[in-house]
Amino acid sequence: MKILGIESSCDECAAAVVENGRQVLSNVVATQIPIHAVYKGVVPELASRKHTEWIYPVVQEALQQAGLRADGLDGVAVTAHPGLLGSLLVGLSFAKAFAWAQNLPWIAVDHLLAHLYASQLSLRSEASAAVPYPFLGLLISGGHSVICRVDGFDGVTVLGTTIDDAVGEAFDKVANHYGFGYPGGAAIDKLAQTGDPQAFTFPLPRLYKGDHRCDFSYSGLKTAVINQLDQFRRKPAAAVTPADLAASFQKTAVEILLRGLFRAVEDTGLRTIVSGGGVAANSYLRALLAEQPDLRCIFPPLELCGDNGAMIAGLGYQHLIRGDRSPLTAIASARVKAFKRRYP
Ligand code: KG4
Ligand code: ZN
C-alpha cells in the first residue's frame, strides 16, 4: 500500500510517499526557514501563504520522485494537529480535495505521534527492523519536549514534559543571542564541538517532587546562559571562549533531558528509547545515549528528525489499515490532542 503523506504544520511544506508504513519511496521537504529567518522566528501568516503556493508542486515532486501518478496511490495522510492553525488548514484542505478527487481513503493524523513513528521508517532500500512496542519516547523539537511511554502507534502516555520552554526553543533563544540565524540549534551543536563542556557549571532545575519526577524546565538555563554571554562580552576572559559556553550550555541542556528520561526508565523498566523531533539530530545527545550500556537508543535518520511527510504517511498507513477514516468535515487544531497526561 502506497500512502501520500502531507505535512504543513509549521515552516516546512512537505510531502512523501511511503510503502506499507515502512519504506520511504520519496521525501520532499521545502523549507521556509530563509523566509522566517529575518524575523528570528516563524511568522504564521507568511507560513500559511507560502504553504498555499508550495503545496501543489511539493506533492507533484513527491509523486514524481516515487515514480507514481496520483492513481498509483492507495491513500492519503495529513497532519491535522498540533501546529499553526492557518498552516495546518492548507495541508488539510489540500489533502481532503486530493483524496476526494482521486477517490482515495484518507486520514488526519497527529504530528507528535508521527515524530515518534519516524524511527519505524527505512530510507532508500535500507532494510531496518521495526521497533517493537512498548518503548520510551523522547520527543524533542522546537515546540515540544515530552518523555512518554509508547504502547502503540497511537497509544502514548506522557510521563514528563517541560514546564516552560521546549528544549529546541532554548537552543534557538541561546543561538539568537549569539547572533546565529533562526533556527539555531544546529549552529550551537556545531560550535559546541570545538568547546569545553566543563568550562561553566550551570545549575540543574529542581523539580523532583511527586508528580513532577520526570518533568523538566529550560527557562532558568536559557537565562543563565544569556547572562553569562553578556558578561563575557562586557569582560572577555582570555581562558574561556564562546565555544566553551555553547558546549557547557549543550551539556546541561542534554543532562536536564536525560535526568528525566533515566527516571522514566527506572519507573517503567523500559530500556528501549526511541527519539524524534528536530533536537534528536543533536550530536552530543546521540553520543551520550550511545554510551549507555543497558539502554537501546534508536534515532531516526537525520533527514527524518525534523518535520517531514514520510512520518505522516507511515503513521497514516497504520491508521488506514486498522480501518480508521476521517470525514470531510474533519478540522485542524492548534493544540495537542493525542497525548493524555498520567504520572508514574
Ligand atoms: O521537529 P522540528 O523540525 O520542528 C518542530 O516541530 O519544532 O524541530 C526544530 C527544532 C529547532 O528548535 C532547532 O533549533 C532544533 O530542532 N534542532 C537542533 C539541532 N537540529 C535542529 N537542536 C539541537 N541540536 C541540533 N543539532
Ligand atoms: Zn515537528
Side-chain angles (χ1 to χ4, degrees), residues 173-180 188 191 225 229 233 241-243 245-246:
K173 286 186 176 154
V174 167
N176 181 37
H177 214 69
Y178 267 91
F180 298 149
I188 293 284
L191 178 66
V225 176
L229 192 58
R233 281 177 177 152
T241 66
L245 186 58

Side-chain angles (χ1 to χ4, degrees), residues 111 115 141 307:
H111 181 85
H115 271 305
S141 72
D307 292 347

Side-chain angles (χ1 to χ4, degrees), residues 111 115 141-143 168-169 171-172 183-186 189 277-279 281-283 305-307:
H111 181 85
H115 271 305
S141 72
E169 197 179 346
F171 269 89
D172 290 342
D189 187 351
V279 185
N282 186 265
S283 63
C305 285
D307 292 347

Side-chain angles (χ1 to χ4, degrees), residues 11 59 63 77 82 84 89 118 147 155 160 189 218 244 315 320 324 334:
D11 56 352
V59 168
L63 288 173
L84 301 171
L89 279 171
I147 295 167
D189 187 351
Y218 278 103
D244 291 337
L315 176 63
L320 289 170
D324 301 346

